[in-house]
Amino acid sequence: MISIDIVLLWLDLVGVFFFAVSGSLLAARKQFDIVGSVLLGSIVALGGGVIRDIVINAGPPIAFTNPAYLAPPLLAAMLVYFLFSSVQRFTSLLTLFDAGGLALFCITGTLKALTAGMNPVAAILLGVTTAVGGGLLRDITANEIPTLFNARDLYALPAFVGAGLTTLLWHLGNFTGLTACVVAAVVFAFRVTAWRRSWHVPLAVRGWHRPGAGPGAISGARD
C-alpha cells in the first residue's frame, strides 16, 4: 500500500513541474532571458507551497529543504528553451499547464493542512491558497493582470471544488492515490472548460456588466 506521504510528494512534484512550465512559457512570451525563465518558473512553482508551509508552521519550506523541488523549474525552463519556437502558436498551452498545477496543488495544500491537524474549513482555504498563490505571484512579477482577478475567467472556484472534494474524501477515509487522480481530473476539466466557454461568476456589485457586454457596461476598474 502506497503511503499518503509518497502520494503527496509525487503530486506535489508533478504540480511543481506543471506550474513551472506555465511560468517559463509566460517568460518566453515576455521575451525574458533564460535566467528570468528559471526564476519565473520557480516563483509560480514554489510560491504556493512556501506560503502553505509557512502557514502550517512546518519549519523551513520543503522547497528549500528537498533538492528534488529544484529540478522541475530547471527542466521546465530547458524544455521551453528548446521547444518554444515550435509550440508558441498554441496559445492554450500556458492555461493547460497552469490548470494542471492548480488541480494538483489544491489537493496537496489541503492534504498538508489536514495532516497538520487543521479543521476542514481552514484546510480548504489553505488548499485554495496553495493552488492560486503561485499563479498570483507569477502574474504580478510578469506585470500581467492576475488570472485570479480576471472577471472573465474562473480560477479560484475550481480550486475550491478540488479542496472540498479532497477534504470530504479524507474524512470519509476514501482518499487514495486513485481518488486523488480523479479529483485532479475533475478540477482540471472544470478549469479548462470554464476557460474555453468563458464561464464567470457575477461581478462584485449587482447590476454591473462586463466591458463590452452591452448598454451600461462599465470599465474594468470603474472610477
Side-chain angles (χ1 to χ4, degrees):
M1 186 70 176
I2 301 176
S3 72
I4 191 65
D5 289 336
I6 297 298
V7 172
L8 185 60
L9 176 63
W10 280 105
L11 288 175
D12 222 19
L13 288 174
V14 176
V16 166
F17 175 73
F18 284 163
F19 265 145
V21 172
S22 77
S24 292
L25 283 170
L26 181 58
R29 291 178 183 174
K30 289 283 187 175
Q31 297 188 327
F32 290 3
D33 60 24
I34 187 66
V35 175
S37 177
V38 172
L39 291 177
L40 192 62
S42 298
I43 287 172
V44 61
L46 305 177
V50 169
I51 296 171
R52 172 198 66 205
D53 293 343
I54 291 174
V55 170
I56 64 176
N57 196 27
I62 193 171
F64 300 115
T65 59
N66 188 341
Y69 279 78
L70 302 179
L74 292 173
L75 177 60
M78 291 300 100
L79 287 175
V80 171
Y81 178 78
F82 288 109
L83 300 178
F84 182 72
S85 60
S86 62
V87 302
Q88 60 182 338
R89 64 183 182 275
F90 299 114
T91 57
S92 62
L93 272 180
L94 194 155
T95 299
L96 292 176
F97 276 100
D98 184 72
L102 185 84
L104 293 172
F105 268 28
C106 69
I107 296 173
T108 59
T110 304
L111 278 180
K112 283 216 169 183
L114 290 170
T115 56
M118 298 182 74
N119 65 69
V121 174
I124 291 172
L125 291 176
L126 187 57
V128 174
T129 300
T130 303
V132 305
L136 180 63
L137 293 174
R138 173 199 62 209
D139 294 340
I140 292 174
T141 302
N143 198 29
E144 291 276 302
I145 296 175
T147 307
L148 178 62
F149 302 125
N150 186 351
R152 297 175 178 270
D153 200 0
L154 292 183
Y155 197 63
L157 193 55
F160 269 109
V161 171
L165 289 174
T166 299
T167 301
L168 178 62
L169 289 169
W170 173 271
H171 284 285
L172 292 176
N174 293 325
F175 187 88
T176 64
L178 178 60
T179 56
C181 291
V182 172
V183 173
V186 169
V187 176
F188 180 84
F190 184 10
R191 168 75 181 107
V192 173
T193 302
W195 171 68
R196 289 188 179 277
R197 296 182 178 274
S198 299
W199 290 349
H200 52 258
V201 295
L203 293 178
V205 174
R206 182 181 180 185
W208 281 11
H209 300 279
R210 287 169 176 78
I218 63 168
S219 66
R222 188 174 178 91
D223 295 332

